[in-house]
Amino acid sequence: MSTIIFQLMINGLLVGGIYALISIGLCLIFGVLEIVNFAHGEFLMLSMYATYWLFHFYGLDPYLSLLIVIPLFFFVGLAIQRIIFQPILEAPLLSQIFAAVGLSVVLQNAALLFWKADYRTVKTAYSATVVNIGNLMVSFPRLIAFCVALGVIIALFIFLKTTYTGKAIRALAQERRASMLMGINIYRTYQFAFGIGIACAGVAGTVLMPIYYTFPTVGALFVLTAFVVVVLGGYNSLTGALIGGLIIGIVESFSGFFISPHLKEAIYFVIFILILLFKPTGLFGRKEKA
Amino acid sequence: MRLTRREITNKLFHPKTYVPIILLVLLLAVPLLIKNPFYQDLLVMIFFYATLSSAWNLVGGFAGQISLGHTAFFGIGAYTSTLLYLNLGLSPWLGMLAGTGLAVAVGIGIGSPCFRLKSHFFALSTIAFAEVLRLLASYWRGLTKGGVGLLIPFQPRVRNFMFRGKLPYIYIALALMLAVALVSHMIKRSRLGFYLVGLREDQDAAESLGVNTSRCKLLALIISVFFTALGGTFYAQYLLFIDPDTVFSLALSIDIALFSIIGGVGTVVGPIIGSFILTPMDVLLRGWLGPIYAGLNFIIYGSVLIIAVIFFPWGIMRWLGKKYELIVSRLPGNKLSSDVEEVSLSPEVLKVPDPAKDKPVIFEVKGLTKHFGGLAAVKNVDFQIRQGEILGLIGPNGAGKTTIFNLVSGFLSPDSGEVKFKGERITALKPPHKICIRRMGRTFQLVKPFNNMTVLENVMVGAFSRIRERRKVEQRAREMLNLVDLSKYRDFLAVNLTIADRKKLELCRALATEPELLLLDEVVAGLNPKETEEIIELIRKVSRQGITLFVIEHVMKAIMSLSDRIIVLNYGEKIAEGAPMEISKNRKVIDAYLGEEYVT
């Protein structure tokens, strides 16, 4: 029994790392722009396709394709922020929500139009490799995905704490007008933050590809989980998103085993609603800005 | 007041009356002329989506609470009536009632807690809620057959809510649409309508004007859910097939909202116009592009949505509404008659009891304390206000002046201490509308006009707290606007006013709630000397009407000349209290706030 518990723990943590990475992108964008990127999952989906096609046509190893995916998605993020979200930073809530929702509809269906609804996956030499630790079994690509996710998250934290741009992003998340007065180019910083957020989704998509399959609506599946994570962790706390991601991963793995894999989503949505109702600031969130 | 026959004919032949009647007759006649099943189906869909979107609009448009989970209620309606029919043979007409009942009950259960969430989080929680229901419906195979869906065998009988031919469906859908439009129209013109738009524009300001915002939102949700669930049953009976992935889908929730956004959120006919434009477009696009280019129709759809919310967030109605009025004004029969006669200013606009000669204490604060984290913002403050007097509150920035206002007007709860108004303890009264109802009004330091309402409508929201009847409310609001000299901007949107006029509007709106005690938070800050003069004169006018005033101000000239008494706050503590002349000579006050220059 204890082996099963440990096995479930590990499975949960490994998935949780990926959830954390997706959620951190979402959280960064929300913290800075105060816009919920409803299209976040679609960027994840696009990066899965990008990884797939790079593998399919050029035989590029999924992990190597990170070198292309990261800069590509960063710049896509910049552009999307510039074109769609910049004009509505001060717009009513309705505009902000539905611009993102509209973007999600467009991207999802663009994928459907170009690549059809087929499920696609990459088969690599290591896809089915399992690492044995004691009597626990750990899937190799899952382990890599977890390590990459954690690495990116750590790098992001260091970036935000030490570089000027990173500090500017954090300042902007605190107070828009004061940041402007301190000489921060807020529009460039917004674009940067959005670009980084999208690049995080890009990395997550790429490392997911050897484990999972892609299809046009795959993003919706993950983005709903990411919403739960962000709310659980506290929507303005990146640490919260990291820990929230791990928690949701473990919850999913345990509820899938002990209750039913079909109901795992229902269970974390219930958690989501409970958190929103009883502790809307989440586990690690600050109080709302005055 | 009874209308004479002449007045009735005049009204009837006024384009404002006959144009809608002609449109209605056309709507009723068109279904009879269409025989092609394809177009009949299109018509059903147009009416059906218009119904759902209008229902969504009550919550998402009027009240500005953006729901992305309305399919939850739609699905409950569809599943309840279908399951009752399939398993118990209950007529779907009755099942429809059961479905709406259940949906409304669920709506109240989920709505009252979720409405506490702000902005994006409300939208997120509604998505999650609909998603939970979808998963449950998929999982609970014993009851719902899960993802396979439920098929209703076609047995056409009126009792079974099934008909040969599409004509009955068209008229049922049309009736639903007209019903929800009528209800929207009535709400829009009623107190609830004003309150919903008010709380959408600024929740705190609405509360300060006596609006019970939670109750209003919940009411709007109940009505909205009712029609949404009706739509669910209709959908099930029309298509005779339901499955979780369709009736609980996020895509449908988005569609429903989309029609309103394109047509015009918060308007009565916007969602209908939206459906008349988008439903045919959708059906045609799907027909042309669907088989070959799956997804292209949705790409166009999504792009329209993005462009619409970025460039035309108010939808077609902003433009169409003006056109319509222009056309109506040129049609025959449009005699110049205003609905509300111009009113001359009645001398006693503000009916408040005469100030008693002995001036009893009407407001009393004892030991008021509030901490923010470790910082004591207000420390053990006591004071009293006598009826009819003007009490000034001064002190350096951060001394806790606005905190005191927030504490006594119900926007913050004190850590300890007590506030008494007219002998009643009001400390525990929350939310703030309860305090307004007890005749204490307030303004905000950073003015909070309802930006997208006209100046007149802003004041009407305040006046509705005392008067029910719309005509009288409007008349009262006009009188109030005369009083503050804003009548010339009556029909302007509040967003277009200058700062000085916004401050006047804020004052006027608070006065419309007929307060006995009015809290004014820096009403002259940032105004030029002439504007300041005007507002001070206005405050004097208000005071002469017998209204007790409690005023925060930084402009010394203003506060010294206005106040009967002044209290001075520093670091959350009261350091002095007395007549203006005493205060200006008080050593502590000079050191803490006024400075040496003021004395010399």
Side-chain angles (χ1 to χ4, degrees):
Chain A
M1 191 64 189
S2 73
T3 320
I4 294 176
I5 301 281
F6 275 116
Q7 185 69 53
L8 288 172
M9 265 318 243
I10 293 227
N11 291 354
L13 277 180
L14 294 186
V15 178
I18 299 171
Y19 288 164
L21 182 56
I22 303 170
S23 311
I24 276 178
L26 193 66
C27 189
L28 186 69
I29 292 172
F30 184 74
V32 178
L33 285 93
E34 290 180 35
I35 281 176
V36 173
N37 182 17
F38 283 93
H40 205 66
E42 275 55 53
F43 290 102
L44 178 89
M45 175 269 295
L46 288 179
S47 106
M48 290 173 82
Y49 273 108
T51 310
Y52 173 81
W53 290 118
L54 285 171
F55 178 80
H56 188 78
F57 284 125
Y58 306 104
L60 195 62
D61 185 275
Y63 299 125
L64 279 179
S65 63
L66 278 177
L67 297 176
I68 298 172
V69 165
I70 293 175
L72 178 69
F73 276 67
F74 177 72
F75 284 109
V76 166
L78 284 190
I80 294 277
Q81 156 65 15
R82 177 68 197 83
I83 297 164
I84 295 182
F85 293 105
Q86 197 144 305
I88 53 170
L89 275 177
E90 305 281 344
L93 184 66
L94 180 102
S95 303
Q96 298 181 346
I97 288 183
F98 283 101
V101 166
L103 180 64
S104 147
V105 171
V106 168
L107 294 179
Q108 215 177 80
N109 288 285
L112 180 67
L113 177 65
F114 293 124
W115 307 314
K116 305 286 171 273
D118 308 332
Y119 283 42
R120 299 166 194 270
T121 188
V122 295
K123 279 272 165 280
T124 54
Y126 46 79
S127 279
T129 313
V130 171
V131 186
N132 287 301
I133 307 171
N135 46 9
L136 300 176
M137 297 192 297
V138 177
S139 138
F140 176 71
R142 277 173 194 267
L143 189 63
I144 296 285
F146 178 77
C147 294
V148 171
L150 215 58
V152 170
I153 292 168
I154 291 168
L156 182 62
F157 276 47
I158 294 172
F159 167 78
L160 289 175
K161 291 267 185 237
T162 56
T163 64
Y164 175 77
T165 312
K167 286 177 186 164
I169 288 175
R170 288 194 296 141
L172 199 50
Q174 301 269 330
E175 170 57 49
R176 187 173 292 183
R177 207 162 290 171
S179 305
M180 202 155 35
L181 292 173
M182 293 302 110
I184 294 171
N185 180 342
I186 64 160
Y187 292 118
R188 206 186 61 124
T189 312
Y190 279 134
Q191 288 166 20
F192 244 83
F194 204 88
I196 293 171
I198 298 304
C200 285
V203 174
T206 301
V207 296
L208 262 176
M209 207 49 220
I211 315 171
Y212 213 70
Y213 31 87
T214 185
F215 47 96
T217 53
V218 69
L221 220 62
F222 283 93
V223 79
L224 285 172
T225 313
F227 287 151
V228 179
V229 170
V230 169
V231 167
L232 177 67
Y235 60 89
N236 47 20
S237 158
L238 295 185
T239 324
L242 169 61
I243 294 171
L246 299 178
I247 293 176
I248 288 298
I250 292 170
V251 167
E252 179 185 306
S253 136
F254 275 81
S255 66
F257 183 80
F258 287 107
I259 302 170
S260 157
H262 299 289
L263 277 185
K264 65 182 189 195
E265 283 147 325
I267 287 165
Y268 51 65
F269 281 128
V270 170
I271 296 178
F272 173 80
I273 291 176
L274 291 178
I275 289 271
L276 276 181
L277 297 184
F278 296 108
K279 197 161 186 329
T281 48
L283 298 178
F284 296 88
R286 295 186 304 268
K287 277 232 163 164
E288 220 171 308
K289 283 178 251 175
Chain B
M1 185 178 72
R2 293 188 59 180
L3 295 172
T4 62
R5 175 175 287 173
R6 176 133 175 233
E7 278 172 318
I8 292 173
T9 22
N10 267 349
K11 268 210 145 159
L12 204 59
F13 287 100
H14 193 281
K16 269 190 176 164
T17 316
Y18 71 68
V19 170
I21 291 179
I22 291 173
L23 288 175
L24 186 66
V25 170
L26 272 177
L27 266 182
L28 289 170
V30 162
L32 294 172
L33 306 175
I34 293 176
K35 296 285 179 238
N36 180 329
F38 175 78
Y39 289 111
Q40 284 186 322
D41 183 61
L42 183 60
L43 215 49
V44 172
M45 284 298 135
I46 289 174
F47 295 150
F48 165 72
Y49 280 120
T51 306
L52 291 185
S53 192
S54 298
W56 178 87
N57 187 40
L58 289 172
V59 174
F62 286 14
Q65 306 296 312
I66 295 170
S67 159
L68 285 173
H70 250 53
T71 45
F73 308 115
F74 178 80
I76 290 176
Y79 266 97
T80 308
S81 63
T82 304
L83 287 172
L84 285 175
Y85 175 67
L86 292 179
N87 296 326
L88 304 176
L90 187 73
S91 161
W93 294 104
L94 295 174
M96 182 153 79
L97 290 182
T100 51
L102 184 60
V104 166
V106 171
I108 293 171
I110 195 78
S112 34
C114 285
F115 276 136
R116 288 187 310 184
L117 302 169
K118 292 240 162 88
S119 59
H120 292 93
F121 292 98
F122 178 74
L124 282 180
S125 64
T126 55
I127 293 184
F129 174 59
E131 198 60 17
V132 168
L133 289 187
R134 183 180 70 80
L135 291 164
L136 284 180
S138 315
Y139 182 72
W140 201 348
R141 290 202 185 81
L143 187 66
T144 63
K145 294 225 172 72
V148 182
L150 291 169
L151 203 63
I152 305 173
F154 183 57
Q155 289 163 327
R157 272 174 69 189
V158 175
R159 183 199 165 274
N160 293 351
F161 202 140
M162 288 176 227
F163 310 93
R164 247 174 247 293
K166 295 192 188 285
L167 202 58
Y169 292 108
I170 297 179
Y171 278 109
I172 293 168
L174 177 60
L176 282 176
M177 180 186 93
L178 292 176
V180 67
L182 183 67
V183 168
S184 303
H185 178 71
M186 279 158 45
I187 290 178
K188 176 113 190 160
R189 294 179 56 86
S190 75
R191 183 162 90 137
L192 178 61
F194 277 78
Y195 279 9
L196 289 175
V197 178
L199 72 89
R200 175 188 78 197
E201 294 293 316
D202 194 308
Q203 182 151 335
D204 284 346
E207 279 280 343
S208 81
L209 297 174
V211 179
N212 185 343
T213 52
S214 334
R215 215 187 95 223
C216 289
K217 287 187 224 172
L218 203 57
L219 258 173
L221 182 70
I222 289 172
I223 300 167
S224 170
V225 165
F226 176 82
F227 284 107
T228 309
L230 286 187
T233 299
F234 176 81
Y235 175 90
Q237 294 306 122
Y238 182 61
L239 293 184
L240 299 176
F241 173 74
I242 52 172
D243 69 326
D245 291 342
T246 320
V247 299
F248 287 115
S249 72
L250 179 59
L252 181 60
S253 282
I254 296 171
D255 274 356
I256 293 173
L258 180 63
F259 298 118
S260 289
I261 293 169
I262 301 292
V265 282
T267 63
V268 174
V269 285
I272 298 175
I273 304 271
S275 178
F276 265 87
I277 294 169
L278 288 182
T279 308
M281 183 181 119
D282 182 42
V283 170
L284 292 180
L285 282 178
R286 222 180 278 223
W288 288 339
L289 306 172
I292 324 159
Y293 304 107
L296 188 56
N297 53 331
F298 286 107
I299 296 177
I300 296 173
Y301 225 59
S303 312
V304 168
L305 180 57
I306 297 174
I307 293 166
V309 294
I310 295 179
F311 296 107
F312 319 101
W314 294 101
I316 297 169
M317 272 310 290
R318 269 271 156 113
W319 169 83
L320 200 66
K322 283 184 196 131
K323 284 271 171 221
Y324 176 78
E325 274 171 21
L326 195 69
I327 293 169
V328 162
S329 71
R330 284 179 186 165
L331 288 174
N334 184 31
K335 300 205 183 71
L336 280 171
S337 70
S338 57
D339 296 351
V340 177
E341 57 277 20
E342 270 315 302
V343 285
S344 54
L345 176 61
S346 51
E348 279 300 313
V349 171
L350 306 157
K351 316 165 292 194
V352 167
D354 289 328
K357 287 210 177 70
D358 51 333
K359 292 191 172 182
V361 171
I362 67 162
F363 185 78
E364 197 175 3
V365 168
K366 263 192 204 147
L368 197 66
T369 302
K370 177 76 184 175
H371 292 262
F372 292 121
L375 180 82
V378 175
K379 244 185 293 183
N380 220 359
V381 170
D382 305 305
F383 62 93
Q384 295 180 335
I385 308 179
R386 288 180 179 278
Q387 191 165 60
E389 90 175 318
I390 303 182
L391 178 68
L393 176 58
I394 61 173
N397 285 322
K401 303 184 296 295
T402 297
T403 307
I404 287 194
F405 266 30
N406 286 337
L407 288 170
V408 301
S409 60
F411 282 88
L412 285 174
S413 314
D415 297 337
S416 61
E418 155 173 284
V419 182
K420 268 188 178 169
F421 180 49
K422 294 190 287 183
E424 184 192 4
R425 250 191 111 221
I426 57 168
T427 322
L429 282 182
K430 272 188 97 175
H433 67 263
K434 290 187 178 157
I435 289 188
C436 170
I437 296 304
R438 285 169 172 73
R439 296 193 183 265
M440 185 201 296
R442 71 165 294 179
T443 67
F444 294 90
Q445 185 178 359
L446 302 168
V447 286
K448 297 173 180 288
F450 303 130
N451 279 326
N452 289 297
M453 294 175 106
T454 66
V455 168
L456 180 70
E457 287 166 346
N458 264 270
V459 182
M460 284 174 73
V461 173
F464 264 117
S465 67
R466 298 293 162 207
I467 316 169
R468 294 287 166 132
E469 202 189 323
R470 190 177 187 276
R471 267 178 58 93
K472 285 187 183 158
V473 167
E474 190 170 335
Q475 185 150 338
R476 164 47 66 98
R478 281 164 187 258
E479 290 171 4
M480 301 300 303
L481 284 173
N482 272 337
L483 185 79
V484 299
D485 201 20
L486 276 180
S487 295
K488 50 187 179 292
Y489 302 129
R490 201 165 54 207
D491 299 322
F492 283 39
L493 289 184
V495 69
N496 298 324
L497 293 183
T498 62
I499 282 288
D501 287 335
R502 282 187 211 189
K503 298 217 166 191
K504 279 191 197 167
L505 174 61
E506 179 115 342
L507 180 63
C508 180
R509 208 171 55 175
L511 280 175
T513 67
E514 299 177 22
E516 289 172 35
L517 170 65
L518 183 57
L519 278 52
L520 300 177
D521 197 346
E522 296 204 24
V523 275
V524 301
L527 303 187
N528 68 33
K530 185 174 163 287
E531 293 162 343
T532 308
E533 208 55 52
E534 268 178 49
I535 297 232
I536 289 178
E537 203 34 59
L538 193 60
I539 296 174
R540 288 222 169 85
K541 208 175 347 174
V542 170
S543 174
R544 278 199 297 273
Q545 306 281 344
I547 297 176
T548 313
L549 292 171
F550 184 22
V551 185
I552 295 180
E553 201 51 73
H554 269 307
V555 181
M556 272 309 123
K557 201 177 130 232
I559 197 92
M560 289 294 173
S561 69
L562 264 177
S563 311
D564 297 321
R565 263 185 328 125
I566 290 177
I567 53 180
V568 187
L569 218 57
N570 194 27
Y571 293 113
E573 285 177 289
K574 189 173 84 174
I575 57 168
E577 174 171 1
M581 281 314 287
E582 294 165 36
I583 291 294
S584 64
K585 295 197 182 99
N586 184 311
R587 195 68 237 169
K588 272 197 203 156
V589 179
I590 292 167
D591 290 343
Y593 181 50
L594 296 175
E596 294 296 341
E597 298 86 353
Y598 188 80
V599 187
T600 54

